[in-house]
Each structure stands twice: as structure tokens, then as C-alpha cells.
Amino acid sequence: MHRVSVSSRQQSTAIPGRKMGGFVGLQIFGPNRLRHIYSEVWHPLGSSHLAHDDGGTVQRTSAHVCATEATVVGVEDALEFTPELSHGEKAISLMVALGICGSVYMLTKPMTNSPVYACGMAVLCGCVLFITYAYQIEKKYRVLKRPATELGGTNSKWMAVDAVKLHVTVEGLPDKSKACIRHAFHCLHGFGSHTFSYSMIQKKLAEDLSALVSAHDFCGFGLSQRPRDGKYYSMRFHGEAGLDIIEQLLADQVNGDATAMPAVKKILVGHSMGASAVAEALIHDEDERIAGVVLIAPAIVCGWTTPATKKKSQSRKDGIINEFLLFIDSMFETEDALNSSSSSVGSKGGKHAGKMVGDFLRVFMSLLRALLAEFINVIFRVARPILQVAIHPLVFPRQFWSSGLSQAVRKLKIQASMDWKRYVDGYRMPVLVENWEEGLMRFVSARITARNGLLHELRRVLHPENTMLQAERLRDACKKRNVPVLIVHGSDDGLVPVGNSHRLVECLPHASMVTLDCGHCPHEEMPQEFIKVVEQFVRSKL
């Protein structure tokens, strides 16, 4: 259990001579339509403001001013911004490139003309020109950045969990004089998403079930803090943080008096990657705090065969990349596989030799995977400045997000409830947060190191009994704690195959599955139908 403290949204201070505006944030004004994602009103904090000189021209004294000297007055304006270099800036880039290449030529001028040398100088000139050009573009992007507290909504809170500030959205907190809450949901989003993913259902679900419904941004996404320590990017941390956030929100309703806290059933909801975090929380829930689980298009790999038919002592690898080791185990280590091939092996010595080969290949692949992970991690660290410069032009444009979301959801389903542009911008909004690209790289680096690090791989080899698939560990936890599980999956999911969820529901005890006619995000594409499914699950199982 992590220590949790709560801070409300940062209050702005008035600046003389400047009208203040509030950031309205994400709101839902009805069950059928998301009318607003955010307002265009932007308010400065601290001393960030615009000053005018005697000539009436605008001087740039704030980080919230475009490089074109135009004021960014709102989030929508910032998201519409397209950086362009002036002729003077282009000339500077060219002069820097020519100056560096000229200096290198004077120091390394060959005795005779060489085509190889000429090609090398041309490549050098092109690289320097690209770097200087990209650097000036990056400066224009950075003036759009702002603190996360300026982008929070009216239902936003920043809660410190184990010294890390997480952005939390909350719906359904009643006045202390009203009836008690019976159910508390906490929602965990998928990769590349944030709490916006649940904005279509959060308020409606809270109203229909008289429940507390909260969600938080993972570190590296949304508006949450982006710490350096890799442990804060783990699935287990965020799954358990969800439970801690629920308990803190409930404790605030009774002024921190634990004895006065009513019996509230805690339900974790996880979408895609978030489902993996929910699974980790349930697997390690020794205090049995979780009453139920809802998994939406869960990215929890369930093996080719139902894990329930296999022995617990057999090693299973966690992740898609480890399916090759599953195949090796079935060939060389699994007793059933050896028995089925006894005609070719023929003796105990042959079985022993086969197991030795399997053990050797497993150790070799584990070490190879660990070395590859460390190599990628080093590349991330060394090339981080270049990657940061490259990420903005790639990720900032609306077309990038629109193309990706079109692969994940059915566009017509989304357009039935809101404007597609506003939906895409709802996902894009966190790119305006300071150090957003740094957080994304830290998340990817931490996940690679945690899952395939050298120490992790050595533990995997030395203690194969503890390296079962997450689906198997989740199965054992559900059986031990008698926790009901609801799986909701879209029939047209192009990212996580619906067949994986069919195998998962057969693997898990007390599990049921509902398939909706949509893509990867049922709670976004069909919010009303999704809420009905969850309500039925809660009323019948909890």
C-alpha cells in the first residue's frame, strides 16, 4: 500500500491589468453526447504575461507565446499551431552548416580530390543542416509547453502516491450529508491514452450506480508526473495506486476516520495495457481489497493452449516476445511433449538430453534478450536529445493521432456522439505538457528494462516456477480470492485479437465475457451499451 496525499487543482493568482480565465476541462453534459472537451479560455500563472513596449508591439515574456510572436490564448490554438521557419532562420541554418563543414574541410583537406571525401562532406553538411533546422523547430514547439496544472479539468485532482503526483479525475463524490457510496470504480487507461479515455462514461456510470468513479494518468502519459525512477512506470505500481486512490478519496469523505468508513466494494477497470495493471493489482492483493474486475480488450497474453490444462510448475513466459520460449519448452521440457515423441527419443537418456538442450536454449535466449534490452536502453539514453527533437514533428500533428485512432476505433461510432476533431484533440492535449516527450521515453525505457533486464532474466532462469504467464497468475489469484471478472471486447478489434479474450475467459474462474459491435475501445465507441453491461455485472455479481 502506498502513501497518498491529495492536492486540488492549482489556484491561479490575479495579475494586475489582466483578465483571468479558468480552464473548464473535460465535462459531460449528457449520456448521449460529449458536448465539450475543453474551453478555449487560458489563464496564465505566476508572472507569465505579455508586455507591450512604447511602440505597441508585443514582447515575448512568457513561455506561452508562439515563435511567430503571436499569442497562444487557448489550448485549441496551441493544438492548431504549425511551426514554420522564416527565411532568416533558414539562412542561419544554412550558414551554420556551411561554416562547420568549411572548418572541417580546412582542417582535413586531402592532398588530392577524393569522391569518398566529397561524399563524406556532403553527408556532414546535410546532417548539420538537419540538426540546426530541427533545433529551431523544436524551440517553436517548446514555447507551447505549459505546466500540467493548467491543463486539468474541473474534476481534476493531483494526488501524491508514494511521492509521485498523479493526475486523477473524479466523479460521484457526494456531499458528506448525502447517502454513502456503495461501489467505487477506478479506471486505468491503455498505452498512449490518458483519463480522457474514460470521460465518456465516468459521470454517467457514477450517476447510474451512485458510485465513486475515478481514473488516473500513468506516469509518462497525460498530466501525471514523469519521475526518473523506473519503478513508477511498472504495471503493479499503477494497479495498486488505483486502490490507494480509492481509499484516500473515501477517507476524505469521513474526515480520515477509518472506523467511520462504510463498506465500499472496490472495482478496478482496465483497458488494454491498463488491464495488465489491474491484473497485477489483483495478483498481489493479499489484503483482498478488490471486489471485482472489469477488463476492456485486455492486453493479457493467453497462451496457445488454455493454461488450466497445464501443470503449474511448467514455465510460461510473460509477453508476446516470449512465445518462442513457450514453443521451446513444449519441445524439450514438457513431459507431455516428451511422451508424445518417445518413439523418436526412446530412452530416459534421450529425454534427459532433450531437457538439457531445452535448458541451454532457454538460458541462451534469456541472456540474449537481456543484452538486447540493455542495448536498446543505452541507445535511448545516448540518443535521447535527438529522439526528443524527432518526436515533436512526428507526434504533434493531428494527422498522426487521427491515423492511429482510426486503426483502433470505428470512426463512425465516435462521430455518432462527438466531433472527430475534438475526439482526436482530446487524446492530443497532453503533448502540450512540459517534458511530455521525456516522460514517454522514460516509460518505454523502464518497461523494456523491467521486463527484459539482466536481473529479471536471471530470476526467470533460476526460478522458472515464478515465471508463469500473467494469465496463469491471474487465474490463480481469481480462484484463491473468488473475484468475479467481466471481459468486454470489441468484435472488430484490430489491435488485441478478440480470440485472446475468448481464451482468457475460459482460463479464468468466475469470468464472463461480452462482445460489442465495435473496435478496440468499447467504452468510447459504445458508452451507453458499455455502461449497461457494467451495471448488469455489478448488480448480479457484486
Side-chain angles (χ1 to χ4, degrees):
M1 183 180 298
H2 305 293
R3 184 178 178 182
V4 183
S5 61
V6 186
S7 62
S8 59
R9 183 178 164 213
Q10 182 175 342
Q11 299 296 322
S12 56
T13 55
I15 298 177
R18 188 71 186 271
K19 183 178 179 180
M20 297 301 298
F23 182 76
V24 176
L26 307 179
Q27 296 187 10
I28 298 182
F29 293 86
N32 299 320
R33 183 173 183 83
L34 180 68
R35 297 181 180 178
H36 299 283
I37 290 181
Y38 43 72
S39 70
E40 69 275 10
V41 182
W42 163 73
H43 67 273
L45 296 180
S47 61
S48 297
H49 60 281
L50 295 177
H52 293 75
D53 60 15
D54 295 337
T57 59
V58 179
Q59 296 178 346
R60 186 170 60 189
T61 61
S62 168
H64 306 294
V65 184
C66 287
T68 57
E69 303 298 329
T71 306
V72 176
V73 295
V75 174
E76 290 184 350
D77 293 326
L79 292 175
E80 294 291 341
F81 175 69
T82 301
E84 294 181 357
L85 294 184
S86 64
H87 293 299
E89 291 169 326
K90 293 178 181 178
I92 291 175
S93 298
L94 182 60
M95 292 174 61
V96 170
L98 293 177
I100 292 177
C101 292
S103 300
V104 172
Y105 177 78
M106 294 298 294
L107 295 174
T108 62
K109 181 179 179 181
M111 299 299 296
T112 58
N113 294 330
S114 171
V116 175
Y117 182 84
C119 291
M121 291 300 298
V123 171
L124 175 63
C125 184
C127 290
V128 174
L129 182 62
F130 170 78
I131 292 174
T132 53
Y133 185 90
Y135 173 73
Q136 294 192 75
I137 291 291
E138 176 67 11
K139 288 198 302 182
K140 295 179 181 292
Y141 277 120
R142 290 199 174 276
V143 299
L144 303 176
K145 299 295 184 176
R146 55 197 73 191
T149 50
E150 292 190 27
L151 297 173
T154 55
N155 61 347
S156 291
K157 294 177 179 290
W158 273 264
M159 304 182 70
V161 180
D162 196 18
V164 176
K165 289 186 178 180
L166 301 179
H167 171 243
V168 182
T169 57
V170 185
E171 294 288 353
L173 276 180
D175 295 333
K176 296 181 181 180
S177 60
K178 294 185 179 180
C180 296
I181 298 171
R182 295 183 178 180
H183 300 93
F185 294 82
H186 190 81
C187 308
L188 296 103
H189 61 78
F191 183 85
S193 183
H194 57 108
T195 54
F196 170 76
S197 178
Y198 290 101
S199 62
M200 282 71 87
I201 65 168
Q202 206 170 345
K203 187 173 184 179
K204 175 65 174 172
L205 186 61
E207 292 175 350
D208 288 358
L209 289 175
S210 299
L212 167 67
V213 183
S214 58
H216 82 269
D217 294 330
F218 281 45
C219 294
F221 301 97
L223 308 182
S224 289
Q225 187 178 351
R226 290 148 170 80
R228 294 182 181 275
D229 195 335
K231 72 177 183 179
Y232 296 117
Y233 298 91
S234 69
M235 296 297 102
R236 179 178 176 180
F237 170 78
H238 285 284
E240 294 179 342
L243 292 172
D244 295 335
I245 289 171
I246 289 178
E247 293 180 351
Q248 182 60 46
L249 292 172
L250 294 175
D252 290 344
Q253 292 297 299
V254 292
N255 298 321
D257 185 3
T259 60
M261 188 179 301
V264 178
K265 294 181 178 179
K266 304 177 185 65
I267 305 163
L268 292 184
V269 182
H271 173 232
S272 193
M273 178 188 72
S276 179
V278 170
E280 288 298 318
L282 180 55
I283 290 169
H284 297 93
D285 185 26
E286 298 299 335
D287 296 331
E288 298 187 358
R289 297 186 289 171
I290 301 175
V293 165
V294 179
L295 306 178
I296 311 170
I300 301 174
V301 176
C302 197
W304 297 322
T305 58
T306 304
T309 64
K310 298 294 181 181
K311 294 185 177 181
K312 181 178 178 180
S313 62
Q314 293 171 356
S315 176
R316 292 295 178 265
K317 311 306 173 186
D318 187 9
I320 298 176
I321 194 173
N322 297 327
E323 288 294 325
F324 178 69
L325 288 184
L326 184 64
F327 171 70
I328 291 177
D329 285 347
S330 66
M331 288 182 62
F332 296 103
E333 187 179 10
T334 304
E335 182 178 352
D336 294 339
L338 289 173
N339 290 337
S340 64
S341 60
S342 59
S343 60
S344 59
V345 176
S347 66
K348 294 183 179 179
K351 294 181 181 180
H352 182 67
K355 188 177 186 305
M356 289 181 60
V357 174
D359 290 341
F360 172 78
L361 290 177
R362 187 168 62 254
V363 172
F364 175 77
M365 289 299 298
S366 296
L367 294 178
L368 181 62
R369 187 167 53 247
L371 291 175
L372 179 61
E374 293 298 332
F375 174 76
I376 295 175
N377 194 35
V378 170
I379 295 298
F380 261 88
R381 293 178 181 275
V382 174
R384 181 166 292 176
I386 298 176
L387 291 175
Q388 288 182 0
V389 171
I391 282 177
H392 265 134
L394 174 66
V395 174
F396 192 88
R398 182 178 290 113
Q399 183 59 37
F400 173 85
W401 294 89
S402 181
S403 300
L405 290 170
S406 296
Q407 300 296 321
V409 302
R410 289 184 181 178
K411 189 174 181 179
L412 294 178
K413 292 281 187 182
I414 297 297
Q415 289 178 329
S417 59
M418 75 174 76
D419 178 71
W420 177 254
K421 175 185 173 183
R422 287 187 175 273
Y423 173 72
V424 173
D425 284 350
Y427 267 90
R428 289 178 63 211
M429 185 264 291
V431 301
L432 298 176
V433 177
E434 294 172 343
N435 298 322
W436 177 86
E437 63 286 342
E438 179 76 11
L440 178 61
M441 288 190 291
R442 285 177 181 172
F443 177 87
V444 174
S445 177
R447 296 304 301 145
I448 292 174
T449 303
R451 177 168 293 186
N452 298 300
L454 183 58
L455 293 178
H456 179 79
E457 293 300 333
L458 289 176
R459 286 194 299 267
R460 183 192 297 272
V461 173
L462 296 176
H463 303 284
E465 68 278 2
N466 296 328
T467 57
M468 295 185 296
L469 275 173
Q470 188 181 53
E472 291 180 304
R473 295 185 288 121
L474 179 60
R475 175 203 65 205
D476 294 343
C478 291
K479 183 183 297 184
K480 177 181 178 181
R481 301 182 179 94
N482 197 28
V483 176
V485 178
L486 171 64
I487 299 177
V488 183
H489 212 120
S491 59
D492 195 27
D493 192 336
L495 298 183
V496 178
V498 68
N500 184 75
S501 287
H502 283 298
R503 293 192 296 271
L504 188 61
V505 75
E506 292 177 2
C507 166
L508 302 178
H510 318 297
S512 58
M513 179 176 173
V514 175
T515 304
L516 298 180
D517 183 25
C518 60
H520 185 59
C521 305
H523 57 301
E524 298 177 14
E525 300 172 66
M526 303 179 68
Q528 297 303 310
E529 293 79 358
F530 176 82
I531 291 174
K532 290 178 181 178
V533 169
V534 173
E535 290 178 355
Q536 183 178 3
F537 168 73
V538 170
R539 293 193 170 104
S540 61
K541 301 291 185 180
L542 300 175

